[in-house]
Amino acid sequence: MSKSFFIETYGCQMNVADSELVTGLLQQEGYTPTDDIDTADAIFVNTCAIREHAEEKVHSRLGTFQKIKQRRPDVIIGVLGCMAQNLKNDLLENKPYVDVILGPDSYRHLPDILQRNQQQDHVVDTRLSRFEVYDDLFPSRQEGINAWISIMRGCDKFCTFCIVPFTRGRERSRSVDSIVAEARQAVAEGFVEITLLGQNVNSYRHGNAAFPELLEAVAAVPGLRRLRYTSPHPQDVTEELIRVMAANPVVCNSIHFPLQSGSDRILKRMNRTYTRKHFLDLVQRMRDLIPEIGITTDIIVGFPGETEADFEDTLSVMETVKFDSAYTFKYSPRPYTKAADYTDQVPEEVKSRRLETLIAVQKRHTLEQNLKMVGKVVDVLVEKESKKSDRQWAGRTDNNKWVMFDKGTARIRDLVPVRITAATGVVLHGELQEG
Ligand code: 5AD
Ligand code: SF4
């Protein structure tokens, strides 16, 4: 009988995409995915190392896996992804029940490892590759509307707070042809939206092709209704990219545009390579060419050395831009990174207070931006049933806001006109425009 595996995923969309890749790879070799952890022959956890909190969650899960291993000594336990490198020694010394440790560039070994049947010994491979892009593998996708397509891996930016360049290694991109082929296949399988993924998606480069050309090539795939991408770095947002977004109806009017800090002094210490002014100029340019654009962001509070004045600078950029939404984080020192060694770490209670302020400001801005949509008729892609009511659909606007509306004759995957009738700080409500 074929062996079964269970995989659990933490962290960013790259990890979700990587788990789909691993699932595809194992299925191709005859293994069967299962949702039942108690009967699985192998249990994998795809991990995230971006903040301490993410690692803590995985540690507590490993406690559960240890108990399963005590009951069923034959089960194979594998730790995959970004924590592998970090935890290699700890896992080998203190967590002997972990059989397999594989970094993000080593997934090809998985079928072999399972093949070897029993864990004679621990298998550890956290080497990073300068070439691996898994070009030839087709992911086994879970969702039905949006297909995540990984177009590049790694990051060479070395922001001083970020562990990614160490856990995922150097930047490398797939060829345009292989990405377009995967996009065609996804559309043939029924996906109507694609999100191109990369740790640094817009620093994509393969041969002579840069990110704007790739975007145009994927947008041209017949049958594709919507194309998104995440996450870009402001440094690589070019005039050409903004123009391609503005000119191409398939490319959504939405961008995740990570600010991190509004203070030039802190941006410099973060090695973000742009200034507050450059960031604001780019926002203005995007809004000039794409008036409906939805802009979301990431912001860190309490980076080492951040003063009240620096924090005020971040708040003032927020007031100027009024982001549609923001992921907000307390700075968390990470191994290998420069900022972890800075001596002027900010006390925890200061970080907490700043985070609370930030969240309150963003809540107000999200509501303000959502209210601007009221009265408009916008195209909504029907994605799923609303969690609140089985009489309603939930779908997203082009600028990436969720809308709830009575189902009427609309079906999942339809792109339908909806009049926005109300907005909260979280979602929009609307009425389907039938006929
Ligand atoms: N501490 C807090 N937040 C971090 N991020 C990355 N590294 C850290 C860290 N050490 C945030 C950044 C990034 C997002 C994915 O996670 O805002 O854009
Ligand atoms: Fe981390 Fe900066 Fe690279 Fe993003 S661009 S993955 S924040 S180092």
Side-chain angles (χ1 to χ4, degrees):
M1 213 180 79
S2 100
K3 285 194 173 165
S4 65
F5 65 96
F6 170 95
I7 186 162
E8 188 167 288
T9 308
Y10 291 86
C12 65
Q13 287 310 328
M14 277 305 274
N15 264 14
V16 173
D18 276 0
S19 289
E20 291 178 348
L21 200 79
V22 166
T23 303
L25 172 71
L26 289 176
Q27 276 179 311
Q28 188 185 311
E29 300 288 329
Y31 298 94
T32 319
T34 171
D35 289 335
D36 184 6
I37 195 167
D38 289 315
T39 58
D41 295 304
I43 299 172
F44 299 115
V45 54
N46 194 354
T47 61
C48 169
I50 196 99
R51 282 168 295 275
E52 213 175 330
H53 183 63
E55 292 200 341
E56 282 162 4
K57 277 198 287 192
V58 168
H59 276 296
S60 93
R61 277 308 273 164
L62 286 176
T64 309
F65 297 170
Q66 181 180 19
K67 292 199 185 99
I68 296 176
K69 183 87 173 179
Q70 281 162 357
R71 284 202 309 273
R72 296 195 291 129
D74 286 348
V75 69
I76 293 179
I77 310 269
V79 172
L80 313 181
C82 289
M83 268 169 81
Q85 176 74 34
N86 241 356
L87 287 192
K88 186 161 73 173
N89 295 333
D90 172 48
L91 287 175
L92 288 176
E93 280 164 27
N94 303 319
K95 297 186 170 60
Y97 56 90
V98 174
D99 304 292
V100 180
I101 303 174
L102 291 183
D105 289 342
S106 306
Y107 298 144
R108 284 182 196 274
H109 304 319
L110 265 174
D112 271 355
I113 291 168
L114 290 188
Q115 192 69 43
R116 265 183 257 165
N117 210 351
Q118 261 340 298
Q119 60 278 33
Q120 312 97 347
D121 212 349
H122 295 282
V123 181
V124 180
D125 191 348
T126 59
R127 281 171 302 176
L128 294 169
S129 160
R130 286 183 50 212
F131 309 103
E132 180 62 274
V133 285
Y134 300 110
D135 231 356
D136 52 322
L137 298 180
F138 276 106
S140 166
R141 301 198 154 86
Q142 306 301 314
E143 296 175 29
I145 302 288
N146 174 73
W148 305 99
I149 298 186
S150 155
I151 64 161
M152 56 86 70
R153 300 178 73 85
C155 177
D156 290 350
K157 291 281 196 285
F158 288 94
C159 300
T160 57
F161 52 79
C162 186
I163 197 172
V164 167
F166 305 95
T167 58
R168 285 187 168 269
R170 298 289 58 76
E171 261 180 45
R172 60 223 109 111
S173 297
R174 298 173 57 184
S175 70
V176 173
D177 285 351
S178 79
I179 295 166
V180 169
E182 189 173 334
R184 282 179 188 277
Q185 172 159 343
V187 171
E189 285 170 2
F191 291 90
V192 283
E193 179 179 282
I194 284 173
T195 305
L196 302 179
L197 279 182
Q199 225 68 50
N200 221 312
V201 76
N202 57 335
S203 86
Y204 172 90
R205 175 162 281 281
H206 193 272
N208 290 326
F211 188 61
E213 288 96 69
L214 175 72
L215 213 52
E216 281 186 317
V218 178
V221 168
L224 182 64
R225 307 301 295 270
R226 283 184 169 177
L227 179 58
R228 303 181 186 275
Y229 61 89
T230 202
S231 282
H233 190 295
Q235 183 191 318
D236 301 315
V237 171
T238 57
E239 175 73 15
E240 195 194 347
L241 173 57
I242 302 174
R243 286 184 181 278
V244 166
M245 289 177 72
N248 200 314
V250 175
V251 182
C252 287
N253 297 332
S254 131
I255 187 167
H256 186 66
F257 199 51
L259 169 66
Q260 312 300 2
S261 167
S263 151
D264 279 340
R265 203 177 66 82
I266 296 295
L267 284 171
K268 195 156 192 185
R269 285 192 114 199
M270 287 176 163
N271 190 30
R272 285 295 286 179
T273 68
Y274 52 86
T275 59
R276 157 198 185 91
K277 178 172 186 308
H278 184 56
F279 186 93
L280 289 171
D281 287 349
L282 283 170
V283 167
Q284 194 52 52
R285 191 67 191 141
M286 289 191 279
R287 287 196 169 143
D288 285 346
L289 292 189
I290 314 166
E292 304 292 320
I293 194 165
I295 305 181
T296 59
T297 199
D298 289 343
I299 302 175
I300 297 175
V301 294
F303 183 81
E306 185 188 69
T307 62
E308 275 313 301
D310 294 318
F311 178 59
E312 292 292 329
D313 283 347
T314 297
L315 292 177
S316 90
V317 171
M318 290 174 79
E319 290 298 342
T320 308
V321 176
K322 295 195 198 294
F323 294 105
D324 290 271
S325 88
Y327 295 96
T328 52
F329 309 104
K330 284 195 258 188
Y331 169 72
S332 161
R334 304 312 293 134
Y336 319 113
T337 61
K338 250 190 179 166
D341 292 334
Y342 292 169
T343 51
D344 44 3
Q345 300 288 326
V346 173
E348 195 56 30
E349 61 278 11
V350 175
K351 288 186 201 170
S352 299
R353 182 168 43 74
R354 288 182 187 161
L355 186 70
E356 261 177 50
T357 308
L358 213 70
I359 290 171
V361 168
Q362 186 52 51
K363 228 173 143 182
R364 175 162 55 76
H365 290 166
T366 300
L367 177 61
E368 221 173 286
Q369 293 290 23
N370 284 355
L371 283 169
K372 282 189 192 161
M373 303 283 292
V374 174
K376 292 185 181 167
V377 177
V378 291
D379 282 343
V380 174
L381 180 60
V382 184
E383 300 195 26
K384 56 189 177 192
E385 197 163 81
S386 157
K387 280 187 197 131
K388 294 251 170 75
S389 158
D390 61 7
R391 289 186 301 109
Q392 290 209 311
W393 289 131
R396 274 181 301 160
T397 63
D398 188 314
N399 65 0
N400 215 6
K401 293 174 188 286
W402 283 97
V403 188
M404 313 294 149
F405 59 98
D406 285 349
K407 287 179 175 173
T409 57
R411 295 284 166 269
I412 285 187
R413 285 190 179 76
D414 287 352
L415 199 56
V416 292
V418 173
R419 178 182 299 281
I420 306 302
T421 52
T424 71
V426 187
V427 293
L428 307 173
H429 296 276
E431 280 166 9
L432 179 65
Q433 304 297 285
E434 301 264 19

